[in-house]
Amino acid sequence: SYTMVTFAPESMSKFSPYIVAVVELEGGLRLLAQLTGVSPSSLKVGLPVQVASHQVSEDRVVYKFKPI
């Protein structure tokens, strides 16, 4: 599942609009994360994705997903 965030919290407002998706990993674990590298018109449930790390600061890394 996914949604387009158009009214973001202050900490994410510079990235708005952005896509957030629930990604199901092998084994059934589901994660909520930002989905990058995809246009809203090409989004679909079941889109294969891979994890991508993003260095936010010297001591902070976040994980996003992008299409394969």
Side-chain angles (χ1 to χ4, degrees):
S1 183
Y2 58 87
T3 189
M4 175 72 70
V5 177
T6 54
F7 296 100
E10 187 176 328
S11 63
M12 292 290 289
S13 63
K14 66 181 177 182
F15 303 108
S16 184
Y18 59 92
I19 300 164
V20 174
V22 175
V23 175
E24 186 171 346
L25 305 176
E26 291 180 22
L29 178 67
R30 293 181 182 161
L31 297 176
L32 179 68
Q34 186 177 359
L35 181 60
T36 62
V38 64
S39 66
S41 62
S42 64
L43 277 174
K44 63 179 182 176
V45 173
L47 180 71
V49 296
Q50 64 185 12
V51 69
S53 61
H54 177 72
Q55 189 84 34
V56 176
S57 64
E58 185 178 311
D59 60 345
R60 185 171 172 221
V61 174
V62 296
Y63 295 94
K64 300 179 182 184
F65 289 93
K66 64 181 182 180
I68 296 176

